[in-house]
Amino acid sequence: MHGHNEPVHNEPTPTDPTHSTDSTAQEIRTLATSVVYADDWTRLRRDDIERADGSRGTYAYIDKRDFALIIPAENGGFHLVEEYRYPLGRRGWSFPQGGFPHDESGTADELARIELAQETGLRAAAMIHLGAFAAGHGSTNQYCQSYVATGLTPGPTDLEPEEFGLVHEWLPRDRFEEMIAEGLIVDDSTIAAYALLLLAEKRGEIVLASHG
């Protein structure tokens, strides 16, 4: 579970064997696929499908590469970023995260380090892999590779145009949890990754330094 070279899937499909089992992979068969829209980050696919009972239909979904999310932990708290999220029409706090565009590639560990540095300027001495989870299993084939970053040192940021106005701030852990309850943090990946961290701490696999 704590490997450091998990691949970022370049061409994911609904029946990717790395994400499926033999029993589930056969429940729905893809008869044909078409790309309705594509850019550097996203493809919208519309597939003709056949279900296990022989009935046929269509399924539209967002085809996106895996992304990395980083929990930068330090002094009993976490570094978070706040930025405007266009689909929600509001700003929101989250852990740093992002993915490769379709013309770039690398391991999930490399991506995590790149995203951490770009959004916060932080460099990590240690990057611990927490696990992977489906980011929206009813609408996309994208997975999130989540990490805890420790041994942090500051440096310059390198924000992308889409990240204009991004704010980076360290917050104590108690305040982070309060912000979830208050609806200031609504990002599902941030909350799911924190759940993985809590489970890893419960198992004694990760011990984070307390404040001071």
Side-chain angles (χ1 to χ4, degrees):
M1 183 175 176
H2 290 169
H4 291 272
N5 292 302
E6 295 75 17
V8 176
H9 299 92
N10 295 330
E11 298 294 335
T13 67
T15 55
D16 184 342
T18 63
H19 291 161
S20 303
T21 65
D22 290 341
S23 61
T24 59
Q26 301 302 315
E27 291 186 21
I28 299 178
R29 187 163 66 97
T30 304
L31 303 176
T33 185
S34 60
V35 177
V36 179
Y37 170 82
D39 60 24
D40 288 343
W41 302 96
T42 301
R43 282 176 292 205
L44 176 60
R45 290 187 177 274
R46 182 181 183 276
D47 291 358
D48 296 322
I49 61 170
E50 183 179 73
R51 304 176 186 90
D53 63 358
S55 63
R56 294 189 175 187
T58 60
Y59 203 112
Y61 64 96
I62 301 169
D63 183 1
K64 297 196 71 170
R65 300 170 70 185
D66 293 358
F67 68 101
L69 178 146
I70 311 94
I71 302 178
E74 187 174 51
N75 296 329
F78 308 119
H79 292 265
L80 289 97
V81 295
E82 186 207 38
E83 60 184 310
Y84 186 78
R85 293 298 184 178
Y86 180 77
L88 300 183
R90 56 168 285 186
R91 296 184 68 85
W93 290 91
S94 68
F95 290 129
Q97 57 191 277
F100 285 124
H102 283 286
D103 59 349
E104 297 180 19
S105 62
T107 67
D109 180 88
E110 291 168 341
L111 176 59
R113 292 180 181 277
I114 290 171
E115 289 297 327
L116 177 63
Q118 283 183 343
E119 295 189 9
T120 68
L122 297 170
R123 276 67 175 171
M127 193 77 74
I128 305 169
H129 186 240
L130 286 171
F133 53 85
H137 63 190
S139 59
T140 180
N141 52 11
Q142 186 180 45
Y143 275 68
C144 172
Q145 301 286 349
S146 55
Y147 290 82
V148 172
T150 59
L152 305 174
T153 56
T157 60
D158 184 20
L159 299 178
E160 298 173 344
E162 295 82 3
E163 296 167 336
F164 176 79
L166 181 145
V167 176
H168 159 223
E169 186 174 339
W170 176 90
L171 294 169
R173 188 166 185 164
D174 288 347
R175 180 55 189 151
F176 168 79
E177 294 185 351
E178 290 173 355
M179 290 170 69
I180 295 176
E182 294 169 6
L184 297 175
I185 296 175
V186 296
D187 174 50
D188 56 352
S189 299
T190 291
I191 297 170
Y194 186 57
L196 291 181
L197 172 61
L198 291 174
L199 292 173
E201 290 179 318
K202 183 177 180 180
R203 293 190 297 266
E205 296 173 355
I206 294 178
V207 177
L208 296 179
S210 60
H211 186 62

